[in-house]
Amino acid sequence: MALLALAIAAVVLPATSQQHDCSILGCEADPSFHFQLLQYKMAAKTAQDHSEWIGKGGNLIRSGSTWAVPPVDLSKGPTWTWEAPLGGLVRGSPVVDSKGCIYQSTIDGQIVKFSQTGDVLWAISTEGISFPGNPVHLAGVLYNFGTDGQMLALDSNDGKKLWQTKACDMASGDTHTIIAGDGVVLASCLNKGEDKTFGSATMIVACNATDGQVMWKYRPDNGLYNWIGSIQSGDLLFSDMNGGVYRMSLKDGSLVWKVPAPAGATSTTGGLSGATNGLVYVTHNLDSPDGHVGLLSVYTAADGKPVWQRSFPKFPANSGPAIATGGDEPFVVIAIGTNPGFALGKGAALDLDPFDRNDTSGTQRHPSKAVAMDAKDGHTIWEYQFPDWHGAAAGDTPTHTCLPDSYANPSIAGDGAVFLAGMSGTVYRLLDKDRDGKFDPASGEVTTYDTGNAFQAAPAISDGILAVSPCNGLKVFLS
């Protein structure tokens, strides 16, 4: 959800099959851990049919990558489609479990489990309680967090409630991510009244994943918007909305290290993603006289030391990165650009995030691009310029206001293909087969599908499955 949504509401009411050794568990660059994890994966394959995509970012470290390969030709269209009831809004990213079942939540408070072929296996609906964030599935439990501040744990087999805890006064209405691992489930939240002052979450709450008991809370230096965290070696890593970076103990919330937000920082709806190479990758923004400058900063996970940084003038970084660290060319990819406008009706839109503050053309142009960089030193591997978008996001109306960021977080498949979706409603699969830095649609390096509705949700990938959630529902592509 775009950062300016709450302000408006106040006014208007080639990789290999071995490339992702930490897709199931979080880890850093520890050879002994890699060996143990490989043994775990070999044993687990006898018990599961599909690579799990536990939530936004795919795994505990939230790298946005997997060894699984989904369908490659999006132009054939989805195998099945589901639309949210009564024109409801969807911002939460889909989840795929080890049997290929898919879970989807909605802003209106529905959570639905589908079979791989689209049969509804169970569904729950709350009254007046919204689920604006991204749920997480781990060890047979689906966790979600309501705007009433209740942390919810459901048995993923039948949808029955295991426990429910009043973890905070309230959850913010942004598209935050619930994360879980090492016996802990976490979310961002705030106290009553803080939404009027901050317009975003102000703290993190940690609950015991077994019984829901609140373990600790932590208030970072700055607010949290579209918050997501990475679980690694018993710790939590995350960034705040100004680009400050933190590592803290999952057990008690004690701070391990912190990198303060840079001078001149402005807000971002991006965040931090982990990787299996011992680094963390953070998108954030700086202000400038003619527009925001998007940044990708890279730090060591162990001690927060800076490794490299890239800047992108006039292209704010409002979604998180995805990182594939295997193969002979580990890479990180980001999607950057200004966010779409607010739909006013009759085709009009209020431009919330102009590309160039000095532009007087009135066209509300929103250029955007995807950039893939070497994961070790940041040099550009390829760029892909998306067609310019103008005005409000695709499908947005005064009565159906998703107000997404320019692009959702990318997702990377086991064959190195990058899947992206954003304000235009088009889903992209990009794969530079010949590694020439260019994309030839005729050779299948670019395939697309236009859903007609914009995206806040990131694509979910499993073996032979691509699940994408435009702002009006769910579309599933099967091989």
Side-chain angles (χ1 to χ4, degrees), residues 19-107:
Q19 79 177 62
H20 305 291
D21 285 346
C22 295
S23 291
I24 297 176
L25 303 176
C27 65
E28 296 172 36
D30 179 349
S32 65
F33 189 93
H34 279 255
F35 176 73
Q36 294 170 19
L37 183 58
L38 182 59
Q39 289 182 316
Y40 171 88
K41 283 166 53 179
M42 292 173 65
K45 273 298 181 181
T46 64
Q48 68 180 34
D49 304 319
H50 291 82
S51 172
E52 295 184 68
W53 191 270
I54 68 170
K56 181 181 177 181
N59 46 39
L60 293 191
I61 61 174
R62 305 293 174 147
S63 66
S65 60
T66 177
W67 61 76
V69 177
V72 299
D73 187 1
L74 300 182
S75 65
K76 296 178 180 179
T79 305
W80 58 270
T81 295
W82 173 82
E83 291 192 5
L86 304 176
L89 279 173
V90 172
R91 294 196 188 102
S93 300
V95 170
V96 185
D97 70 16
S98 63
K99 298 301 180 184
C101 296
I102 299 161
Y103 305 78
Q104 182 65 59
S105 64
T106 77
I107 299 294

Side-chain angles (χ1 to χ4, degrees), residues 72-158:
V72 299
D73 187 1
L74 300 182
S75 65
K76 296 178 180 179
T79 305
W80 58 270
T81 295
W82 173 82
E83 291 192 5
L86 304 176
L89 279 173
V90 172
R91 294 196 188 102
S93 300
V95 170
V96 185
D97 70 16
S98 63
K99 298 301 180 184
C101 296
I102 299 161
Y103 305 78
Q104 182 65 59
S105 64
T106 77
I107 299 294
D108 293 333
Q110 290 104 7
I111 304 176
V112 186
K113 177 181 180 178
F114 301 91
S115 71
Q116 183 176 340
T117 53
D119 296 321
V120 175
L121 301 179
W122 56 256
I124 68 168
S125 182
T126 59
E127 294 185 5
I129 305 301
S130 174
F131 290 129
N134 300 294
V136 61
H137 179 266
L138 195 66
V141 181
L142 186 75
Y143 300 95
N144 215 331
F145 193 53
T147 49
D148 60 351
Q150 298 275 355
M151 188 80 80
L152 177 65
L154 302 174
D155 186 322
S156 61
N157 290 318
D158 53 20

Side-chain angles (χ1 to χ4, degrees), residues 198-287:
F198 296 97
S200 63
T202 60
M203 69 185 87
I204 296 165
V205 60
C207 297
N208 185 295
T210 302
D211 58 18
Q213 181 179 352
V214 175
M215 299 170 58
W216 52 263
K217 294 182 181 180
Y218 179 81
R219 185 180 290 263
D221 296 340
N222 304 291
L224 305 165
Y225 205 93
N226 290 2
W227 178 79
I228 189 170
S230 174
I231 292 178
Q232 302 185 30
S233 300
D235 288 345
L236 166 69
L237 294 103
F238 69 94
S239 60
D240 63 35
M241 64 191 297
N242 284 2
V245 188
Y246 307 75
R247 178 168 184 156
M248 51 198 312
S249 168
L250 278 176
K251 181 180 179 180
D252 58 14
S254 59
L255 188 66
V256 178
W257 57 255
K258 177 177 68 174
V259 177
T266 189
S267 57
T268 180
T269 52
L272 177 148
S273 298
T276 62
N277 59 1
L279 305 177
V280 292
Y281 298 75
V282 181
T283 51
H284 54 122
N285 294 319
L286 295 179
D287 209 3

